[in-house]
Amino acid sequence: MLIGELSKASEMSRDTIRFYEKNGLIAIGRKERRFNNYKEYSHETLQRLLSIKQLKSFGFTLNEIADLLDMLEVNEATCKNVTHKIDEKVLLINKKIKELKTVRKQLLDGKKNCQNEAGTLKSPDEICPFFAETMSNH
């Protein structure tokens, strides 16, 4: 299939596909080129793109995805090795969740500073105290 067909089948842009190829996540051999130098992408390439897409949805970076796919190619994607990678990702996600909860609390506290007990704005035409507090911390 040509890049347009691959783009449609994978739901990825042509630029993304070219980026992945340039960075070694997918490879196109010389024999996969047509006489006019158009690339003929295989079903395996489509499957690899779909795997990349799935791994990205789990939060893996492109470098991590490359490592995982390399492990798969050399039959090192054992449960032990993959579980270790998953554990690392879960720890990172837990850290991010904690950071996001902190940011959420700060935003909600800032909003609360703009409201009186009835939930309406204290002084709608004045500079929001959230910005005054945020700017004074820097």
Side-chain angles (χ1 to χ4, degrees), residues 55 58-60 64 68 71 78-97:
L55 291 168
F58 291 142
F60 287 101
E64 292 168 333
L68 288 166
M71 288 169 54
T78 62
C79 286
K80 179 182 176 185
N81 291 337
V82 173
T83 299
H84 176 71
K85 296 279 188 189
I86 291 171
D87 287 343
E88 288 175 350
K89 185 52 63 181
V90 168
L91 284 174
L92 183 64
I93 289 169
N94 286 338
K95 181 181 174 191
K96 269 291 198 210
I97 289 170

Side-chain angles (χ1 to χ4, degrees), residues 23-82:
N23 288 282
L25 289 165
I26 60 172
I28 306 303
R30 278 276 171 223
K31 63 183 177 185
E32 293 172 302
R33 292 182 184 267
R34 292 182 175 183
F35 69 92
N36 58 4
N37 213 27
Y38 284 14
K39 295 173 188 169
E40 184 71 40
Y41 295 92
S42 67
H43 182 70
E44 289 76 27
T45 300
L46 172 60
Q47 292 307 310
R48 188 166 174 104
L49 285 173
L50 294 174
S51 295
I52 291 168
K53 189 175 186 177
Q54 181 69 47
L55 291 168
K56 277 191 70 176
S57 75
F58 291 142
F60 287 101
T61 65
L62 291 181
N63 287 336
E64 292 168 333
I65 291 169
D67 289 345
L68 288 166
L69 293 174
D70 288 346
M71 288 169 54
L72 193 59
E73 283 183 9
V74 295
N75 292 326
E76 290 182 6
T78 62
C79 286
K80 179 182 176 185
N81 291 337
V82 173

